[in-house]
Amino acid sequence: EPEVTQTPSHQVTQMGQEVILRCVPISNHLYFYWYRQILGQKVEFLVSFYNNEISEKSEIFDDQFSVERPDGSNFTLKIRSTKLEDSAMYFCASSGIYRVRREKLFFGSGTQLSVL
Amino acid sequence: GESVGLHLPTLSVQEGDNSIINCAYSNSASDYFIWYKQESGKGPQFIIDIRSNMDKRQGQRVTVLLNKTVKHLSLQIAATQPGDSAVYFCAETTSGSRLTFGEGTQLTVNP
């Protein structure tokens, strides 16, 4: 069964460093998303991406965050200068195939980001 | 076993019992709802969805009920198994908008 894959599974970084989280969405999907989950809390929306541009972003997704689809398969989230409060599990998701509602998201297993 | 209210974080049931997990949503304009299961260290896994023009939908061992009058969603799991132990999230959305997750309920199935 097709799945969303994310790398790395764990990322440890120093405060102020840049990190790039990588995702390979399901191949025939059209919409791509990043969500995050702070330990013990609910899953929070960060950004959605369609047709090579951001379609919606949350208040969490400030100027330190950016997304990119550098080729036909990868979708990345960059945090320019990490803060302690960026520590969370980051989930990539994709959706959108013919006759299936595009809000039906399929998630990857996540990247646990720890900022020290 | 049954959870009541959005803010009850845990539900413990015996193997073989039926489980009911409840969720209250806030946006009366929401027209699509999904239940996700999240096992420890993994991403949310799609279980079942329902559109607002329906009040009930059944899957394999799971049923989702939607009551738009009181903005309430429930997930029923029949004959709960140890493998059902996980955190369950409801999520809501309006067409074209972000999927918004609820707080989650930790289901524990005792053998």
Side-chain angles (χ1 to χ4, degrees):
Chain A
E1 186 174 324
E3 59 181 21
V4 176
T5 57
Q6 290 186 242
T7 55
S9 56
H10 293 84
Q11 175 83 53
V12 180
T13 189
Q14 295 291 324
M15 188 170 56
Q17 295 296 303
E18 174 184 287
V19 294
I20 297 176
L21 310 183
R22 304 182 190 278
C23 170
V24 179
I26 294 173
S27 63
N28 58 352
H29 282 185
L30 302 173
Y31 300 88
F32 313 110
Y33 310 83
W34 285 100
Y35 281 74
R36 78 174 187 188
Q37 185 178 33
I38 295 170
L39 186 63
Q41 299 186 21
K42 61 182 178 180
V43 179
E44 300 176 290
F45 171 80
L46 292 178
V47 67
S48 58
F49 191 87
Y50 170 72
N51 199 26
N52 284 318
E53 62 182 24
I54 291 173
S55 49
E56 188 178 0
K57 60 184 180 179
S58 73
E59 55 281 358
I60 302 169
F61 195 89
D62 61 22
D63 291 345
Q64 294 301 311
F65 291 86
S66 62
V67 290
E68 191 177 35
R69 188 156 163 81
D71 53 42
S73 60
N74 292 284
F75 180 52
T76 62
L77 173 70
K78 181 192 291 186
I79 309 175
R80 227 177 311 278
S81 177
T82 50
K83 303 187 285 286
L84 295 176
E85 54 264 38
D86 293 328
S87 294
M89 180 74 91
Y90 287 80
F91 293 109
C92 174
S94 67
S95 72
I97 57 176
Y98 180 62
R99 297 189 71 181
V100 174
R101 185 142 175 173
R102 67 180 168 107
E103 296 89 355
K104 183 175 180 178
L105 271 56
F106 293 87
F107 286 83
S109 293
T111 294
Q112 178 64 56
L113 176 66
S114 298
V115 182
L116 305 179
Chain B
E2 180 172 351
S3 71
V4 290
L6 183 60
H7 300 291
L8 187 70
T10 63
L11 174 65
S12 185
V13 301
Q14 291 298 121
E15 183 178 357
D17 285 354
N18 296 332
S19 301
I20 301 175
I21 301 171
N22 296 299
C23 178
Y25 64 93
S26 55
N27 187 353
S28 57
S30 291
D31 63 354
Y32 181 59
F33 305 86
I34 303 177
W35 279 101
Y36 283 94
K37 172 186 180 183
Q38 187 178 27
E39 296 173 285
S40 180
K42 296 186 178 180
Q45 177 188 357
F46 174 88
I47 301 174
I48 192 168
D49 57 356
I50 188 168
R51 299 175 192 245
S52 60
N53 61 353
M54 303 171 68
D55 52 23
K56 181 178 179 179
R57 190 160 189 233
Q58 288 185 289
Q60 187 176 12
R61 279 202 309 117
V62 294
T63 300
V64 55
L65 299 178
L66 175 62
N67 185 331
K68 294 181 289 295
T69 304
V70 294
K71 292 189 285 188
H72 184 267
L73 194 68
S74 68
L75 176 71
Q76 300 178 0
I77 305 173
T80 316
Q81 303 168 358
D84 295 326
S85 293
V87 177
Y88 289 81
F89 292 95
C90 65
E92 60 176 302
T93 184
T94 57
S95 181
S97 186
R98 66 183 70 173
L99 195 62
T100 300
F101 282 76
E103 299 289 341
T105 297
Q106 171 72 59
L107 174 66
T108 302
V109 182
N110 302 308

